[in-house]
Amino acid sequence: MDTLKPLFDDPTLLKAPIIIAGPCSAESRTQLLDTAKSLSDIGVRIVRAGVWKPRTKPGSFEGAGEIALEWLAEAKEATGILTATEVATPAHVAAAVAAEVDLLWIGARTSANPFAVQEIADAISRTGRDIPVLVKNPVNPDIELWIGALQRLYTAGTRRLGAIHRGFSAYGHHTYRNIPQWHIPFELRRRYPTLPLLADPSHIGGRRDLIAPLSQQALDIGFDGLIIESHCDPDRALSDAAQQVTPAQLKEILDGICHRDGSFSKTSEIQFLRQQIDALDTEMLELLAKRMEISRRIGQYKKDNNIPIIQTERYADMLQSRINLGKEIGIPGDFISSLFSLIHEESVRLQVNTDSTQPGAAPSSDH
Ligand code: PEP
Ligand code: MN
């Protein structure tokens, strides 16, 4: 990917940071026009809106479909704002390009599928247009799959190419809707330094209050821009309501973040390493909380089923298996013993509390 073109010829559209904002989904003509007008008023030059929504489960709002392309065209006509939408099939590409959409993106569920990406890449090539395309990272943290998707587009002729980091899914509940794993986009930047890279703090965070800190973090480590979900009436949004902000709130966020002209190369290594430590500590604590919850449930189960609490061998076996694992992955045994003795102590305390109706009950050995 060494002969990339800028995303747009107009340099004013590339002024850092590039901001793309708009509703998760185009829901109605008025919703889209109101939102686009307010975004244009605060200086946003590119509006995003999902016309076709890939939903995890059937039955949720799947987008207004092709009619919404007319609303996007109307928004452009009324305000001069450029338009962007997600494409997931060749038919989407043909319809969006025919409706003069200015930028396409490929969503995280699609970029994980090489067949789909290839079909989209070929469809874009058939339009004969030099349209900019942004590729979101696949839902799973696989940088090669992400790069593969970018390469498919490049090989099919797309030169106005960029990437969007939207975080990675993980099972269970976490602070972030999609865990950032910043080292993955960092590695993408290392391999393709000229590829524009935008962050999507809305889908990473999944919560309004996380947009500002995530945006700042992304700009600090040298992202070229942000794609942020903004809706004229976020609480009533038909998709992703919790993570959308009004255009006025977006203005506050954008005014509050500071673009320090960071660059991946200027970012000191220690700053980047510290970010990784912070992220790992967050994950570690979230895992511990999950473990404690399970421990509590074991305590409850024993109480409900009158199961004797003391199983003396269990702790010794568990500890030994953790020490063995530690050996394999380079963590010293005495450290593991101290760590698990603390965790065990807390588990016991939780189970004793669960068991407080049994006077004098001995602590559990399930940890
Ligand atoms: C979106 O941008 O609304 C969207 C569906 O995002 P993702 O593909 O990142 O989940
Ligand atoms: Mn969304």
Side-chain angles (χ1 to χ4, degrees):
M1 292 192 280
D2 39 29
T3 59
L4 291 171
K5 285 194 196 168
L7 287 175
F8 299 100
D9 285 331
D10 175 355
T12 65
L13 287 165
L14 300 172
K15 212 175 130 274
I18 298 168
I19 302 294
I20 302 176
C24 177
S25 313
E27 298 168 1
S28 70
R29 180 175 172 274
T30 30
Q31 171 249 12
L32 190 69
L33 289 176
D34 279 5
T35 310
K37 166 100 186 38
S38 307
L39 289 171
S40 170
D41 288 347
I42 65 160
V44 171
R45 305 281 307 276
I46 308 165
V47 64
R48 61 148 283 156
V51 166
W52 304 277
K53 300 301 297 177
R55 305 316 303 276
T56 302
K57 287 189 182 146
S60 355
F61 180 62
E62 294 190 335
E66 247 175 77
I67 178 83
L69 293 170
E70 290 173 26
W71 309 333
L72 280 170
E74 232 183 296
K76 175 156 54 172
E77 176 75 28
T79 63
I81 203 164
L82 299 189
T83 59
T85 200
E86 173 175 349
V87 288
T89 68
H92 295 166
V93 171
V97 169
E100 307 280 346
V101 167
D102 300 287
L103 178 150
L104 306 177
W105 83 81
I106 297 180
R109 290 158 193 76
T110 310
S111 66
N113 178 345
F115 290 128
V117 173
Q118 190 61 54
E119 286 188 359
I120 294 167
D122 294 340
I124 293 172
S125 166
R126 280 196 299 276
T127 68
R129 301 275 187 91
D130 202 12
I131 190 165
V133 185
L134 301 178
V135 181
K136 287 195 167 196
N137 63 263
V139 282
N140 50 322
D142 182 344
I143 192 173
E144 303 305 333
L145 196 55
W146 193 5
I147 290 174
L150 289 156
Q151 284 173 339
R152 283 177 197 281
L153 283 145
Y154 185 83
T155 307
T158 293
R159 289 294 176 272
R160 300 189 191 276
L161 197 55
I164 299 174
H165 173 47
R166 49 77 80 197
F168 301 93
S169 329
Y171 183 71
H173 188 74
H174 300 267
T175 304
Y176 298 112
R177 177 178 177 192
N178 292 294
I179 298 170
Q181 306 216 37
W182 294 105
H183 59 283
I184 296 180
F186 194 83
E187 173 63 13
L188 183 71
R189 171 53 54 98
R190 197 189 63 74
R191 293 204 217 169
Y192 301 99
T194 59
L195 184 75
L197 185 53
L198 277 69
D200 177 344
S202 312
H203 288 89
I204 295 176
R207 278 177 17 202
R208 276 166 214 161
D209 60 313
L210 293 175
I211 296 175
L214 284 165
S215 299
Q216 187 64 64
Q217 222 174 339
L219 295 183
D220 286 349
I221 61 172
F223 275 69
D224 302 295
L226 303 166
I227 176 165
I228 301 181
E229 287 191 336
S230 176
H231 187 294
C232 56
D233 188 0
D235 286 331
R236 276 192 262 176
L238 299 180
S239 58
D240 289 352
Q243 68 191 37
Q244 301 206 57
V245 289
T246 61
Q249 289 167 326
L250 177 67
K251 180 172 177 351
E252 258 177 54
I253 292 173
L254 295 178
D255 287 347
I257 56 182
C258 150
H259 189 234
R260 301 193 182 96
D261 189 24
S263 74
F264 279 79
S265 55
K266 282 189 216 148
T267 306
S268 73
E269 191 169 357
I270 185 147
Q271 187 188 352
F272 183 63
L273 292 172
R274 280 181 180 149
Q275 274 182 6
Q276 287 190 64
I277 290 278
D278 291 348
L280 286 172
D281 283 354
T282 306
E283 278 177 53
M284 218 159 62
L285 289 175
E286 284 167 349
L287 279 175
L288 261 183
K290 255 190 225 162
R291 190 186 195 286
M292 286 175 188
E293 178 50 32
I294 291 176
S295 199
R296 226 179 256 124
R297 279 165 54 191
I298 291 178
Q300 188 63 46
Y301 181 89
K302 287 183 171 169
K303 182 181 163 199
D304 294 346
N305 294 279
N306 268 331
I307 294 177
I309 287 174
I310 302 173
Q311 287 143 40
T312 34
E313 280 174 16
R314 166 71 182 152
Y315 182 61
D317 288 352
M318 188 219 46
L319 187 59
Q320 194 53 54
S321 80
R322 301 330 180 240
I323 289 172
N324 295 345
L325 175 62
K327 222 180 257 167
E328 279 170 35
I329 58 180
I331 305 179
D334 50 355
F335 173 74
I336 300 228
S337 297
S338 320
L339 179 66
F340 275 90
S341 123
L342 267 180
I343 293 176
H344 177 222
E345 208 175 294
E346 180 60 11
S347 272
V348 166
R349 195 188 64 77
L350 288 170
Q351 295 197 4
V352 166
N353 284 349
T354 306
D355 227 53
S356 55
T357 52
Q358 290 181 20
S364 156
S365 326
D366 274 298
H367 330 279

